Amino acid sequence: MSEEILKVDGVRLNFYTYEGVVQALDGVELNLRKGETLGVVGETGCGKSVSGLSILNLIPPPGRIEGGRVLFERRGRELELLTEREAIMRKVRGRDISMVFQDPRSALNPVYTAGNQIVEVLLHHRAVDLIQRVIEQLDRRIADSKETESEKAVKGGKKTAKKGAGFLTKFYRNSLQRLLDNPKSRRMKIVRRIPILNGYRKMVKKEAKKEAVEILRIMRIPDPERVVDMYPHELSGGMAQRVVIAMGLACNPEILIADEPTTNLDVTVQLQILQLIKELKEHFSSSIIYITHDMGVVAELCDRVAVMYAGTVVEISEVVELFRNPLHPYTRALLESIPRPGHPFKSIEGTVPSLINPPKGCRFNDRCPYAMEVCHTVKPKIVEVKKDHFVECFLHE
Ligand SMILES: Nc1ncnc2c1ncn2[C@@H]1O[C@H](COP(=O)(O)OP(=O)(O)OP(=O)(O)O)[C@@H](O)[C@H]1O
Ligand code: SF4
Ligand SMILES: [Mg+2]
């Protein structure tokens, strides 16, 4: 996969509902390169969110992925995420690929504080890192107490000399080391149940909370020490959105899938969040899939863009190239429908088709002014028309 980090290859997804089979994704093709931001745009219901969920193999019932592959290059090894074992997927989700969901309020658990929810992510995916930090702190404490012990011994003789670091400090240090060496240690399973001996767990949690405050600070949340203890209902919309992004970035993922993270926010907060995502991408050097229906956001933020229509990617190219030279009739109509001062308002003729009985052949055929006979019977293939500019339309095959 050369510079590609992720490849979605012909994914098909159906929802088996009482009304019928919703053919939500019809062979989605996408690729994401290292360090880039890929925009995914399209009208409501075209399959943007379910494409993101498919990548993580998180489609809820009654949905079922019926075909295709999602290839992800994880530390030099290629994984097929749709068939990978659940144990591996639990590591991939959040640690390697994380998703910021469309509605921040429903993504946050109302009974836990913002901090607790970030801490939970950190403990699940970055426990080793946190344990190592606590061990270092305990080592320093032990070394300091040895120094003071010897100083006092020199000054005041044997009588004034205190004993070195307490028994518990050393016990916690050794317990954490044991956990690092063997996370499934039977002895540690017993120790963690004994209140006075399991204080090391609190220390790791405290370290995770410190990290959560730091992440909230990077998110430019004012007064992060206070916000970390706030419940979701106490947060403003912009704050909740930042907390959800913070959870997504907590583990420094290789890929962040951001599903309309600025919808429902006022324009100034929207701009701040976009700016933040740009900076975070540099800071964490992640690759981003940015789902939106806003072409302005795509122009501002993305390197490449994939245009979706009724469950398929119809065009994919670099942003500037797409704005200058849109090839698919739907992309052209979409760009023409962006409101511009002084220009008459234009909308795309017709409505998005039902995905229970989608049109045969090209799914855009009932709205396309260039539709030919073949468009009603055969689905076009996506082809590279120019370097890095792919389109799925018989006008260009
Ligand atoms: N749980 C579900 N049960 C049945 N159909 C579903 C379910 N989830 C999604 N769908 C269908 O899958 C299609 C794609 O949905 P998706 O949420 O991906 O749209 P979207 O492009 O993200 O839209 P929006 O811009 O409104 O967020 C829609 O037709 C939707 O009705
Ligand atoms: S394949 Fe046919 S119907 Fe579809 S966009 Fe192209 S010309 Fe229009
Ligand atoms: Mg959506």
Side-chain angles (χ1 to χ4, degrees):
M1 281 204 300
S2 64
E3 53 175 351
E4 274 175 9
I5 184 169
L6 183 86
K7 188 170 168 60
V8 178
D9 181 18
V11 169
R12 283 185 294 109
L13 163 72
N14 291 345
F15 285 96
Y16 293 87
T17 67
Y18 287 116
E19 287 78 28
V21 180
V22 181
Q23 299 168 37
L25 296 181
D26 182 31
V28 164
E29 303 272 351
L30 278 178
N31 64 334
L32 180 70
R33 298 169 185 165
K34 274 188 185 145
E36 78 167 349
T37 303
L38 173 74
V40 177
V41 290
E43 284 166 291
T44 184
C46 69
K48 303 182 293 293
S49 298
V50 291
S51 298
L53 290 170
S54 302
I55 290 172
L56 290 167
N57 203 359
L58 275 180
I59 295 296
R64 209 161 62 209
I65 294 178
E66 298 290 12
R69 300 180 306 165
V70 175
L71 304 174
F72 169 56
E73 195 162 315
R74 185 179 190 240
R75 284 161 229 154
R77 222 186 109 214
E78 192 173 277
L79 299 183
E80 206 286 76
L81 300 185
L82 298 181
T83 52
E84 198 48 76
R85 279 182 299 134
E86 193 48 31
I88 301 278
M89 284 309 291
R90 273 202 287 272
K91 287 185 188 153
V92 170
R93 294 183 198 120
R95 181 76 188 87
D96 299 307
I97 307 178
S98 74
M99 185 157 177
V100 172
F101 292 97
Q102 195 161 357
D103 175 9
R105 299 264 172 218
S106 60
L108 290 170
N109 189 330
V111 298
Y112 290 105
T113 62
N116 265 336
Q117 302 190 47
I118 302 175
V119 163
E120 201 59 35
V121 178
L122 290 170
L123 289 178
H124 187 74
H125 292 293
R126 285 192 35 207
V128 172
D129 185 24
L130 294 167
I131 289 175
Q132 268 162 350
R133 273 197 246 166
V134 177
I135 289 180
E136 278 166 25
Q137 286 167 16
L138 292 173
D139 279 345
R140 271 199 299 275
R141 213 184 280 177
I142 293 167
D144 284 352
S145 79
K146 269 187 190 156
E147 263 175 35
T148 31
E149 184 189 347
S150 54
E151 273 171 24
K152 283 186 177 174
V154 170
K155 278 182 194 165
K158 260 189 185 170
K159 269 191 180 173
T160 52
K162 269 191 188 172
K163 282 187 182 160
F167 161 77
L168 278 179
T169 311
K170 285 178 185 160
F171 180 81
Y172 291 162
R173 196 241 171 259
N174 294 339
S175 300
L176 288 169
Q177 188 62 54
R178 189 164 286 128
L179 266 183
L180 273 189
D181 297 341
N182 177 14
K184 289 182 181 161
S185 154
R186 287 173 81 191
R187 183 173 157 174
M188 291 312 296
K189 275 184 189 153
I190 299 166
V191 169
R192 65 178 290 173
R193 297 218 177 102
I194 304 170
I196 191 154
L197 298 183
N198 68 11
Y200 63 89
R201 298 177 71 204
K202 270 196 193 143
M203 298 179 95
V204 178
K205 266 196 180 163
K206 204 169 148 198
E207 191 59 29
K209 192 170 171 188
K210 255 204 287 185
E211 177 81 16
V213 170
E214 223 26 66
I215 294 171
L216 291 180
R217 205 187 308 280
I218 295 175
M219 287 287 144
R220 300 232 197 83
I221 291 187
D223 202 359
E225 287 86 0
R226 193 172 59 90
V227 174
V228 81
D229 290 321
M230 282 164 78
Y231 287 89
H233 71 272
E234 297 174 292
L235 303 170
S236 71
M239 271 170 153
Q241 192 67 69
R242 283 168 209 235
V243 168
V244 172
I245 298 176
M247 281 165 69
L249 288 169
C251 295
N252 189 4
E254 290 212 46
I255 298 175
L256 176 74
I257 303 172
D259 191 358
E260 311 222 23
T262 58
T263 320
N264 306 327
L265 297 177
D266 68 64
V267 187
T268 45
V269 182
Q270 226 184 73
L271 267 177
Q272 285 173 6
I273 299 238
L274 289 182
Q275 189 56 34
L276 195 69
I277 290 180
K278 262 187 180 176
E279 288 171 21
L280 291 171
K281 191 187 137 202
E282 302 304 318
H283 187 93
F284 292 101
S285 53
S286 303
S287 312
I288 298 179
I289 296 180
Y290 194 95
I291 297 172
T292 178
H293 53 258
D294 189 335
M295 279 298 203
V297 170
V298 168
E300 175 64 26
L301 192 74
C302 302
D303 303 303
R304 287 192 310 137
V305 56
V307 181
M308 285 194 74
Y309 182 79
T312 23
V313 172
V314 293
E315 187 160 1
I316 181 163
S317 97
E318 280 173 5
V319 171
V320 179
E321 162 72 8
L322 189 103
F323 276 85
R324 276 203 195 131
N325 187 21
L327 294 177
H328 196 281
Y330 173 68
T331 316
R332 276 188 224 157
L334 194 67
L335 290 174
E336 279 168 13
S337 67
I338 298 173
R340 261 166 287 187
H343 288 76
F345 183 73
K346 259 185 152 180
S347 70
I348 306 174
E349 293 281 315
T351 50
V352 183
S354 153
L355 295 184
I356 292 183
N357 275 314
K360 289 212 164 57
C362 169
R363 287 190 172 183
F364 190 55
N365 64 27
D366 56 346
R367 297 170 85 185
C368 178
Y370 311 100
M372 303 164 272
E373 222 176 293
V374 63
C375 307
H376 292 272
T377 47
V378 183
K379 181 177 153 56
K381 285 193 186 84
I382 193 153
V383 288
E384 188 169 19
V385 176
K386 271 165 92 178
K387 185 164 183 331
D388 277 344
H389 193 156
F390 296 81
V391 65
E392 188 184 282
C393 170
F394 285 118
L395 293 176
H396 302 283
E397 252 191 37

